[in-house]
Amino acid sequence: MALTRTATWAWLLSFVLLAAPSFGQGPRKPNAADIRQALEKLNVLGSVLYFAAHPDDENTRLIAFLANERKLRTGYLSLTRGDGGQNLIGPEIREELGLIRTQELLQARQIDGGEQFFSRANDFGFSKNPAETFTIWNREQVLADAVWTIRKFRPDVIITRFSPVPGGTHGHHTASAIIAQEAFEAAADPKRFPEQLKTVEVWQARRLVWNTSSFFYGQGQKFDTSNKLTLETGLYNPLLGKSYNEISAESRSMHKSQGFGSSGSRGEALEYFEHLKGDRAQSDLVEGVTTTWNRLKGGESVGKIISEAIRNYNPANPSASVPTLLKATSALAKLPNSYWKQVKQEELDQVIKACLGLYLEATARDYSATPGEAVNIQLEATNRSAVPVTLTQVEYLFAKRDTTVQQKLENGKPLMLRVSVPISPSAMYSQPYWLRLPGTTGMFRVDEPELIGLPENPAAAQVRVQVTVQGQPLSFTLPVVYKRTDPVEGEQYRPFVVTQPVFVNLTEKVYVFPDAQPKPVTVRVRAGQNSLEGQVTLRLPQGWRAAPASADFKLNQKGAEQTFTFQVYPGAQETESTISAAVSTLGRNFTQGLKTIEYAHIPTQTLFSESEAKAVKLDIKRKGQRIGYLMGAGDEIPASLQQIGYTVDQLQVDDLSAANLQKYDAVVTGVRAYNTLERLKFQQPQLLEYVRNGGTLVVQYNVSNGLVTSELGPYPLKLSNDRVTVEDAEVRFLKPDHAVLNSPNKITQKDFTGWVQERGLYFPNQWAPEYEAILSMNDPGETAKEGSLMVAKYGKGHFVYSGLSFFRELPAGVPGAYRLFVNLLSLGK
């Protein structure tokens, strides 16, 4: 079916955005092998959509095989951004972790050749069955997003990672397969989500299959392959110099926050598919689908021209293919408008650009600007071929301004254009689009339908470059990026962002007042532009006060900061509330802070969060003062403990000698320390010697897979996958008279109210009799789990193993979690 003009424009815009590299990276520089791959892909008109729940669920080997060997347009729809997972590389959780995992997916797709999509579903944490998942997700909205993606991407085949039959896996996983089944049919039904049909058309995929394997079958069950479609994906691609197993490992290793680094392998790798809906395939995944140019009326002529370009391709001189490819462009232009015409025109333009060695880049002098501010941009255009190329026009799309150029691009001679262009005064800030508005526990709120499904915002500023190649016009849209030269790392890129003129940041996420004494609250005011002055204030709970009540600031230069400290006096009553900061300048109030997330494997991410912190006034007593904290995968518990008056020293593995540890009232290991600190296995005897001599050691959760030592405690203890995901699940006291529940704080059922996301995870399920199980809990319909909190006396001291999710609860300011954690630290005092 031909798309309407409106539908074509909307669809093409999203394709251009998705096809480009992540906006924090420079232009792609394809080599001769990449160009040959792209030429062959021009002659394939077929598509496959992989469908699952989270970042890291996707089968990167299959995606790499389909995109690079079969040359199919291959997409991955992850219903969530993985916000509810754990972070192995830093302290970011929730929305910040979702940003990291989004970018990790984009990096993975650049390696394996796929494209990336998302729904508005929020990863609210582990779910044990799809029924629970659908009580938190808005099922109709998630289905609408899946249908929207299918109607835009128009896959011939849809592949689920998981079975739609509940059992044995994450509830999100099963829910994703259920949604895939429903979307398979709903996308073809004009009565379902008819509002989408203003910009896209209904689409019926040929079939829906489940990418199954022996992994999904229970222990002892035989994996029967006799009735399943089989695909050999372990092939070697000599152009790329790698097998698809090796490409898969590189792609999967981008999921660094989840600890999914992988080693490449070589040799046979079979993938299996179980039929779910549509036409059953007998021998091939895209069986019955026309994937040649015969798919388009009159397309045979285009296919013949491209085949000629492939036959005559000279890797030593790719530009020799340009005249033939321009003939293909002319032939393609004569075909009726259609989805595949638009896809192949974009691909063809990119191949011509690559054959020319045409380097186009738009860089800004700074990485940010405010609405209305002028941006200094340098455009580089370099033709590295003997083929005549003329730069004819440059359009600055963010400012609705264009410049006629008519400049020939001589072989190997860069053309540099420098211009100052103002950002539109009405430009939106570069807040990730799914975080602009408050959502719910299960769903992000997105009011711009055209953004739904995109992995990230469109570039904050874009430039369209018009050229003619041997007299034939071509157009390329570039993101404006920031580029600098690092003296160590060399050329470095960063996304260009539009920001507000001033930022106000509280230095802590939680302020805990254990008594009536005032506490310092520090505010940092940072300029997003030059020449700012105004006033900063705190907004406090009723009955609280700050001294001073306000403070004046003056910032002359962009990037300059001033720090202010207010003494905050709490009210008399126990309460959970909010402290927020605001600045008044330029006739407006600003309440958002600036957060940047920087890791070497992803582009720098910029987030604008409300400058607010949880304020907790609670009755809490503690014993001991000095805590040693050994960080594992990363968490914010040390700062939380400092909030209630502890002195916290962050330890290194080399610090773990029994003699050195004696100065601490308690020692705590951070989350997944025994998964991430290899040398801990050699220092574990020193930790246990500290306990034997009278110390208190609190070990927080680890996962059983990948432990550096099996001897976590002084007595045998075996970890499991047991967890309690319902955050308000009943908690039963097995040892009500134990010191952990009584000293120095009396723990009651009230202390387990207000927990977030979960009770705990990866509980032990087997332990020696020396351990005392303190608590019992379970999710609805499950048996009791008694391994969430284990305490054992060892020599003169105490060993504690906790699977409770303190790493979430303390940074969230949950009062009862603080009181219980203090009791753990106070054991033996």
Side-chain angles (χ1 to χ4, degrees), residues 205-389:
R206 186 88 180 199
R207 62 182 57 89
L208 173 69
V209 296
W210 169 30
N211 178 204
T212 184
S213 73
S214 58
F215 175 81
F216 296 107
Y217 286 74
Q219 190 172 5
Q221 285 186 282
K222 183 180 179 182
F223 178 53
D224 183 9
T225 63
S226 60
N227 62 341
K228 294 177 175 60
L229 184 67
T230 305
L231 195 62
E232 166 57 71
T233 61
L235 305 181
Y236 171 71
N237 188 318
L239 282 175
L240 302 180
K242 302 170 186 176
S243 71
Y244 296 113
N245 287 317
E246 292 170 308
I247 296 173
S248 169
E250 292 178 11
S251 174
R252 191 156 186 79
S253 294
M254 296 313 298
H255 294 300
K256 298 184 188 302
S257 65
Q258 301 302 292
F260 280 154
S262 302
S263 295
S265 61
R266 289 140 293 279
E268 183 182 71
L270 298 178
E271 294 289 345
Y272 300 96
F273 304 91
E274 192 168 296
H275 181 78
L276 295 177
K277 284 184 177 292
D279 293 341
R280 182 182 293 273
Q282 301 300 320
S283 60
D284 187 67
L285 197 60
V286 292
E287 186 175 293
V289 178
T290 301
T291 60
T292 67
W293 280 95
N294 292 330
R295 185 166 191 160
L296 299 184
K297 184 178 180 181
E300 300 93 328
S301 60
V302 180
K304 289 178 181 178
I305 298 171
I306 292 172
S307 295
E308 178 188 346
I310 294 171
R311 285 194 304 272
N312 297 328
Y313 176 64
N314 179 2
N317 182 21
S319 64
S321 299
V322 170
T324 305
L325 294 174
L326 291 174
K327 286 170 54 181
T329 297
S330 299
L332 182 58
K334 297 175 183 177
L335 301 184
N337 280 339
S338 69
Y339 166 86
W340 280 111
K341 177 181 178 180
Q342 299 289 355
V343 170
K344 291 302 172 182
Q345 184 61 68
E346 173 66 20
E347 288 182 13
L348 188 52
D349 290 351
Q350 293 297 328
V351 173
I352 293 171
K353 179 172 174 282
C355 287
L356 291 167
L358 181 59
Y359 188 88
L360 299 173
E361 180 181 71
T363 57
R365 189 177 297 175
D366 198 352
Y367 68 85
S368 69
T370 57
E373 182 181 350
V375 181
N376 293 310
I377 293 176
Q378 176 177 281
L379 175 70
E380 177 183 346
T382 305
N383 173 24
R384 292 174 285 187
S385 75
V387 177
V389 178

Side-chain angles (χ1 to χ4, degrees), residues 553-590:
F553 69 88
K554 185 174 182 179
L555 300 168
N556 295 323
Q557 286 188 314
K558 179 179 180 177
E561 284 189 359
Q562 277 186 266
T563 300
F564 303 90
T565 299
F566 298 84
Q567 291 295 322
V568 172
Y569 295 79
Q573 303 299 317
E574 290 193 27
T575 185
E576 295 179 60
S577 189
T578 300
I579 294 174
S580 59
V583 293
S584 175
T585 187
L586 303 175
R588 297 170 57 192
N589 288 323
F590 297 90

Side-chain angles (χ1 to χ4, degrees), residues 728-748:
D728 57 358
E730 179 190 2
V731 177
R732 299 172 290 275
F733 295 173
L734 298 175
K735 302 282 184 179
D737 297 327
H738 197 285
V740 163
L741 299 177
N742 291 278
S743 177
N745 302 288
K746 179 68 175 179
I747 303 300
T748 69

Side-chain angles (χ1 to χ4, degrees), residues 395-690:
E395 298 178 72
Y396 301 94
L397 301 179
F398 59 96
K400 296 183 179 179
R401 171 176 165 181
D402 61 81
T403 303
T404 301
V405 182
Q406 294 298 330
Q407 178 71 49
K408 289 184 178 180
L409 302 180
E410 303 293 340
N411 186 3
K413 295 182 179 179
L415 173 65
M416 301 292 191
L417 299 178
R418 296 176 178 85
V419 64
S420 179
V421 185
I423 295 286
S424 169
S426 60
M428 296 189 71
Y429 300 141
S430 297
Q431 178 81 324
Y433 73 84
W434 61 96
L435 300 178
R436 287 174 183 163
L437 298 169
T440 65
T441 301
M443 299 298 297
F444 293 114
R445 178 180 168 186
V446 181
D447 286 354
E448 301 93 342
E450 68 278 5
L451 296 177
I452 293 173
L454 297 183
E456 58 183 341
N457 291 359
Q462 296 186 40
V463 176
R464 182 181 294 132
V465 176
Q466 308 274 358
V467 300
T468 59
V469 181
Q470 292 186 335
Q472 190 158 323
L474 297 175
S475 174
F476 302 99
T477 301
L478 318 174
V480 175
V481 294
Y482 171 67
K483 182 171 72 172
R484 65 182 180 87
T485 302
D486 184 271
V488 176
E489 301 296 336
E491 192 173 73
Q492 299 290 299
Y493 287 89
R494 179 172 177 171
F496 174 80
V497 294
V498 176
T499 74
Q500 58 193 37
V502 67
F503 312 101
V504 55
N505 283 84
L506 290 168
T507 58
E508 305 291 342
K509 295 182 179 179
V510 177
Y511 292 94
V512 180
F513 294 79
D515 49 39
Q517 295 301 308
K519 185 179 286 289
V521 173
T522 301
V523 180
R524 291 196 182 102
V525 180
R526 179 185 175 96
Q529 67 176 48
N530 294 331
S531 303
L532 284 175
E533 58 182 276
Q535 193 175 73
V536 57
T537 57
L538 291 180
R539 298 171 181 175
L540 301 171
Q542 187 173 5
W544 295 34
R545 66 183 179 90
S550 64
D552 295 331
F553 69 88
K554 185 174 182 179
L555 300 168
N556 295 323
Q557 286 188 314
K558 179 179 180 177
E561 284 189 359
Q562 277 186 266
T563 300
F564 303 90
T565 299
F566 298 84
Q567 291 295 322
V568 172
Y569 295 79
Q573 303 299 317
E574 290 193 27
T575 185
E576 295 179 60
S577 189
T578 300
I579 294 174
S580 59
V583 293
S584 175
T585 187
L586 303 175
R588 297 170 57 192
N589 288 323
F590 297 90
T591 61
Q592 288 187 322
L594 174 66
K595 170 72 175 181
T596 55
I597 299 174
E598 296 182 89
Y599 290 100
H601 67 299
I602 61 174
T604 298
Q605 297 299 294
T606 303
L607 176 67
F608 312 119
S609 299
E610 286 298 314
S611 184
E612 59 185 29
K614 190 167 183 179
V616 181
K617 173 66 166 62
L618 78 160
D619 177 19
I620 188 170
K621 302 176 182 67
R622 60 183 177 83
K623 295 180 180 179
Q625 177 61 35
R626 194 169 184 183
I627 307 298
Y629 200 94
L630 179 66
M631 190 66 72
D635 59 63
E636 296 181 341
I637 289 182
S640 300
L641 297 180
Q642 289 169 338
Q643 278 289 319
I644 53 176
Y646 282 109
T647 301
V648 183
D649 295 341
Q650 294 209 31
L651 304 176
Q652 303 299 318
V653 176
D654 289 339
D655 300 325
L656 303 183
S657 68
N660 184 52
L661 297 177
Q662 288 305 311
K663 61 189 175 188
Y664 295 110
D665 295 302
V667 173
V668 182
T669 63
V671 299
R672 297 187 69 174
Y674 290 86
N675 297 125
T676 58
L677 303 177
E678 179 69 25
R679 292 177 56 223
L680 192 52
K681 64 183 175 184
F682 302 112
Q683 298 298 87
Q684 180 69 353
Q686 297 292 327
L687 284 169
L688 295 181
E689 180 67 9
Y690 161 73

